[in-house]
Amino acid sequence: MAADCVVCGEPAAVSGACPHCGAACCGDHRPPSAHDCTGTAAGTTGGWRPDLDGASVDPPERSPASLLRPGVGLGVVTLLVVVAAVGAVAYVGPPDDGLDAGAVEAGIETATVSERRAAGVGAVESDPDLAAVARTHSRDMRDRGYVDHVDPDGVGPQDRAEAAGLDCFVGENIYQTPRGALADSERALADQVVREWLDSAGHRETLLSERYDRQGVGVAVGENAVYVTQLFC
């Protein structure tokens, strides 16, 4: 099967579609930068990371519109977030059909363990309590249409963890990508998410931090995009 390249109109094999946004592209225009790809920004978007050792990295300026861009991933190690109360988030979104969210979660956790072992920082165990908090945040991002560590009510990762009874400083990675191409294959999507995090300095530091020994991953599948949250303790 073949389709026309979205940039030049030349024939492009379906198997050669962009793995991030699913666009049909010829060989010359397959790199994300060559076809105005909307499916990946994890290596260029900014995050904030207060360092528990004392140094800190200030968050870059980001417009509200940037929080709604597809393909966004942000890495964070949370130190202190002060919020008066944490509101419960109701699950009101569409069912996770067509893509097995649980399989994607398991794939991300497995890939994370492999990368940590390869880096010599030790494995992390799967924690269902962390996964539940992560899953709720992914569903909230999907249902309320934002991509950020801090929700529209001002609730951040540490607040969510403490509200769930977790007594630790948490680390968090998030990611969003449009449906299509790799985002319709559980294994390929899981590998893609971890690769994108490793290619971004903030995500990589969180994912490979020696501080953590537990992880939980939550995936929410929407009609047009997939949302991922990874929490560490």
Side-chain angles (χ1 to χ4, degrees), residues 10-229:
E10 292 295 317
V14 172
S15 60
C18 173
H20 304 289
C21 67
C25 300
C26 65
D28 291 339
H29 295 117
R30 191 167 186 263
S33 60
H35 65 271
D36 194 24
C37 180
T38 62
T40 177
T44 57
T45 53
W48 59 273
R49 184 182 56 79
D51 193 314
L52 294 176
D53 291 322
S56 64
V57 178
D58 294 328
E61 292 295 326
R62 288 185 290 145
S63 66
S66 72
L67 302 181
L68 300 176
R69 291 171 54 192
V72 173
L74 302 172
V76 61
V77 179
T78 305
L79 178 59
L80 290 175
V81 182
V82 180
V83 175
V86 178
V89 177
Y91 173 47
V92 296
D96 295 345
D97 56 357
L99 188 72
D100 187 338
V104 179
E105 293 169 355
I108 291 171
E109 290 191 352
T110 298
T112 295
V113 169
S114 296
E115 294 294 342
R116 287 177 61 89
R117 283 177 173 160
V121 296
V124 284
E125 296 182 357
S126 297
D127 186 308
D129 294 330
L130 282 172
V133 176
R135 198 170 295 122
T136 296
H137 185 55
S138 291
R139 289 172 174 172
D140 187 45
M141 289 193 293
R142 176 195 64 192
D143 296 344
R144 293 204 278 176
Y146 70 96
V147 183
D148 200 357
H149 298 288
V150 180
D151 72 19
D153 300 320
V155 177
Q158 194 66 40
D159 303 292
R160 292 188 288 271
E162 291 174 0
L166 301 172
D167 186 18
C168 68
F169 286 116
V170 299
E172 181 177 273
N173 285 333
I174 60 176
Y175 191 79
Q176 179 206 32
T177 189
R179 294 289 299 269
L182 293 186
D184 279 328
S185 164
E186 289 84 0
R187 176 63 183 274
L189 175 57
D191 290 344
Q192 172 193 338
V193 171
V194 174
R195 282 197 308 269
E196 292 288 339
W197 282 337
L198 290 173
D199 286 343
S200 173
H203 303 86
R204 183 181 184 88
E205 182 159 350
T206 302
L207 193 145
L208 299 180
S209 174
E210 294 185 74
R211 301 182 185 281
Y212 305 121
D213 57 18
R214 291 176 286 157
Q215 70 164 324
V217 176
V219 172
V221 181
E223 292 182 4
N224 300 310
V226 180
Y227 299 78
V228 182
T229 303

